[in-house]
Amino acid sequence: MDNKLKILIAAAEVTPIAKVGGLGDVIGALPKALAKLNLDARVIIPFYGAIDRSKYKIKLIKPNIKIGEASINPRPAGSHPRHSSVGVNLWQTNLPNSAVPVYLIEHNFFDGQEIYSTALADDPADIKKYLFFSRAILASLKVLDFKPDLIHLNDWHTAAVAEMLKTDYQNDEFFKQTKTLYTIHNLANQGPAGSKNYMAEGILNSDIISTVSPTYSREILTKEYGAGLENILLKRKKRLYGILNGIDTDFFNPQTDKLIELNYSADTLKKKTVNKTALQGQLGLPQDKNIALVGLVTRFVWQKGVELITEEFSKLSCQFVFLGAGEKRYEDGLLNLAKKYPDKFKIIIKFDEKLAHEIYAGSDIFLVPSRFEPCGLTQMIAMRYGGAPVARATGGLKDTVNSKVGFTFKKFDSTEFYKTLKRALAIYYHQPKIWRQLLINGMKQDFSWTKSAKEYLKLYKKLLK
Ligand code: ADP
């Protein structure tokens, strides 16, 4: 008998098959790391119209699974020829370079080219769509005869599964032993539908809840960070855990990264300056290997706190390179600085993977002034590339940045941020040995998904014992 733990991970995204953001990255990486720990981890997502079925060699395995739910109204039958509107087709592929099965539920709810219908968190079309997906997950498991020990639900899209197990499936032998873990990746998107709030439902109905860093798991119990759900979270406090995300340590590896000018490691840190001067040259900044280069890569949105970078910062002896895109008010604020101080500030407004890697490789210091940050990846990537983060001590930033690897400030305040960056620059210019050790400490940290997966495994076992 195969006695591996059986885990079904249900989510709206999985990288690289269907990615919008960080949620997809977690779902793409965690099951592979769990498989290496000898778990039978599988993923289930909707079969979106945008998914490339030939690239991922997606095969039909179970046609026409009946969902049989009158309250769910799909688009009129006949709007798409591939399937009937009363059933779903179940397809399968693997996560690339792995044996992790990915199941895809096909139905005309998911045929559109966009993963989410709109940028709105509470678009009614999406609520119906993911409620249907949640129902289809449980029906598919029975047809597959895959009886998971645990269903790992992620964000509001799949939260309804926990409630369905307690109601519709309450007396179903098949799911008798099945437990649920609900992971909150983004508390801001709650899927509210009239009187129902799916994020809240997931928190209340799951056996155990987690979020993506220990500090954030405590912060969300407060009014400041709880997004209106702090009282509901407080009710489940004993069952709420925080596990840090990992980063893709193969993709973000200064020793092998093909997107950067020159590869290097902790032992050949001097070569990092070649990346710095190349970046300066490419962006038209004065080329000087001695001047501190301060980087930032982020979405320019309220959460990320970039407005703390004010004109005052032009007084500091360093160069700033910022890459990001988002809201115009933040973009314009930064672009004004670049206009006024062209030799100090370079602002690049776009999404650019290669330039992001070049900034990680070329920066001495990396800024992360977030208002709140469930986990945050850029500080970890920066450290892996031998940069020292200057970060606000909040959420996952607090858990990953300490005085051995970087600098933090507490209050969300421009002056505190400024002073902290100034302190970092003083060490950079005047205490090179201490500076070097700081960078090496950061580079030697373990940011791998294996580490995170071990934490998840501990949590699964706690639930199943
Ligand atoms: P969030 O998920 O809130 O956007 P994270 O720090 O968790 O923030 O993850 C951000 C990821 O997106 C990082 O890998 C970062 O390098 C990448 N990223 C953000 N903005 C850009 C951009 N403009 N160009 C390239 N990569 C970006």
Side-chain angles (χ1 to χ4, degrees):
M1 263 297 276
D2 182 3
N3 56 5
K4 282 185 180 181
L5 269 185
K6 293 198 270 299
I7 314 286
L8 181 79
I9 303 179
E13 306 175 26
V14 64
T15 301
I17 300 167
K19 167 176 171 154
V20 177
L23 170 63
D25 289 347
V26 175
I27 309 305
L30 175 62
K32 287 207 262 183
L34 289 170
K36 284 189 189 142
L37 299 175
N38 208 28
L39 273 76
D40 181 354
R42 310 184 189 185
V43 176
I44 192 159
I45 59 163
F47 197 162
Y48 300 108
I51 293 175
D52 187 336
R53 61 179 64 207
S54 60
K55 180 174 174 189
Y56 296 108
K57 301 193 177 66
I58 301 174
K59 293 196 173 65
L60 180 65
I61 52 165
K62 303 275 182 196
N64 203 21
I65 298 173
K66 292 277 183 279
I67 308 302
E69 188 40 61
S71 63
I72 306 283
N73 302 311
R75 270 192 269 139
S79 65
H80 203 288
R82 287 209 307 264
H83 44 67
S84 91
S85 58
V86 291
V88 299
N89 296 324
L90 192 66
W91 297 68
Q92 188 185 339
T93 180
N94 285 350
L95 275 183
N97 310 316
S98 84
V100 172
V102 178
Y103 301 116
L104 304 101
I105 291 175
E106 183 186 41
H107 186 273
N108 53 15
F109 261 125
F110 314 121
D111 285 349
Q113 285 300 302
E114 298 295 330
I115 290 185
Y116 304 120
S117 302
T118 63
L120 285 176
D122 55 355
D123 189 307
D126 267 0
I127 286 168
K128 271 191 182 174
K129 171 170 122 181
Y130 288 111
L131 199 56
F132 181 78
F133 174 52
S134 298
R135 231 171 255 293
I137 290 168
L138 293 171
S140 302
L141 284 172
K142 292 188 81 167
V143 173
L144 279 168
D145 198 23
F146 180 62
K147 203 183 276 187
D149 296 294
L150 186 142
I151 305 182
H152 185 165
L153 306 166
N154 295 278
D155 276 354
W156 74 266
H157 318 98
T158 49
V161 170
E163 191 196 3
M164 288 169 187
L165 283 171
K166 283 187 160 176
T167 53
D168 304 3
Y169 288 90
Q170 191 185 14
N171 298 315
D172 193 317
E173 275 300 313
F174 190 86
F175 292 114
K176 214 169 171 78
Q177 307 295 333
T178 303
K179 303 276 192 207
T180 49
L181 161 65
Y182 179 61
T183 298
I184 302 165
H185 300 262
N186 190 341
L187 196 57
N189 298 338
Q190 302 179 354
S195 59
K196 241 185 155 125
N197 174 315
Y198 285 96
M199 176 64 80
E201 295 288 326
I203 293 165
L204 289 169
N205 291 315
S206 301
D207 294 304
I208 209 163
I209 307 121
S210 76
T211 186
V212 290
S213 72
T215 295
Y216 192 64
S217 77
R218 293 185 292 272
E219 286 174 342
I220 57 178
L221 300 173
T222 65
K223 197 167 174 0
E224 185 184 355
Y225 291 99
L229 298 183
E230 57 277 10
N231 290 330
I232 283 170
L233 284 157
L234 274 168
K235 278 193 202 162
R236 305 296 323 268
K237 190 179 163 190
K238 287 209 178 94
R239 305 237 116 203
L240 174 63
Y241 296 84
I243 299 178
L244 275 171
N245 287 333
I247 56 172
D248 184 334
T249 46
D250 296 324
F251 188 57
F252 293 109
N253 182 353
Q255 295 192 56
T256 54
D257 191 336
K258 293 199 170 62
L259 300 176
I260 64 175
E261 183 75 14
L262 185 65
N263 292 123
Y264 59 96
S265 68
D267 297 327
T268 57
L269 201 49
K270 274 210 175 101
K271 290 188 187 167
K272 196 174 149 74
T273 48
V274 175
N275 291 291
K276 169 154 78 177
T277 49
L279 182 63
Q280 289 167 330
Q282 176 189 333
L283 298 175
L285 281 166
Q287 272 179 305
D288 175 352
K289 71 178 168 56
N290 294 318
I291 194 164
L293 196 140
V294 179
L296 177 151
V297 179
T298 198
R299 293 180 292 124
F300 291 144
V301 295
W302 187 78
Q303 176 191 342
K304 300 298 180 180
V306 291
E307 73 272 27
L308 293 189
I309 301 158
T310 57
E311 190 160 352
E312 191 78 5
F313 283 57
S314 64
K315 293 182 187 153
L316 294 166
S317 56
C318 59
Q319 295 172 336
F320 295 96
V321 174
F322 301 158
L323 169 66
E327 291 175 39
K328 198 166 179 309
R329 54 179 168 154
Y330 300 121
E331 294 179 357
D332 286 349
L334 296 171
L335 285 169
N336 278 338
L337 291 177
K339 217 176 183 179
K340 244 176 152 172
Y341 308 97
D343 281 354
K344 289 219 123 158
F345 290 92
K346 278 289 158 195
I347 317 296
I348 304 98
I349 307 282
K350 62 176 169 179
F351 188 95
D352 185 335
E353 193 72 57
K354 181 166 161 51
L355 184 56
H357 286 235
E358 288 165 340
I359 294 172
Y360 290 120
S363 305
D364 302 294
I365 294 172
F366 195 89
L367 306 181
V368 202
S370 304
R371 254 196 188 82
F372 68 93
E373 196 58 79
C375 176
L377 301 178
T378 65
Q379 80 282 9
M380 294 194 257
I381 304 170
M383 286 187 262
R384 186 153 167 81
Y385 281 80
V390 173
R392 172 136 188 268
T394 185
L397 301 174
K398 194 170 168 183
D399 295 326
T400 51
V401 184
N402 57 51
S403 58
K404 288 197 177 71
V405 295
F407 306 84
T408 57
F409 61 101
K410 282 209 178 83
K411 216 169 127 202
F412 187 78
D413 174 84
S414 183
T415 309
E416 269 211 43
F417 183 24
Y418 177 88
K419 283 186 189 157
T420 312
L421 176 54
K422 198 171 171 181
R423 189 154 56 83
L425 288 167
I427 298 177
Y428 172 87
Y429 285 116
H430 305 300
Q431 296 184 282
K433 272 196 183 145
I434 293 178
W435 187 258
R436 202 183 124 78
Q437 194 54 52
L438 202 72
L439 305 186
I440 288 172
N441 292 345
M443 291 183 93
K444 294 203 162 154
Q445 286 197 89
D446 182 2
F447 297 121
S448 71
W449 268 103
T450 308
K451 190 178 171 190
S452 307
K454 282 181 184 159
E455 293 293 317
Y456 275 104
L457 180 55
K458 265 196 233 162
L459 197 57
Y460 295 164
K461 283 189 171 158
K462 194 177 298 220
L463 187 55
L464 298 172
K465 75 175 175 219

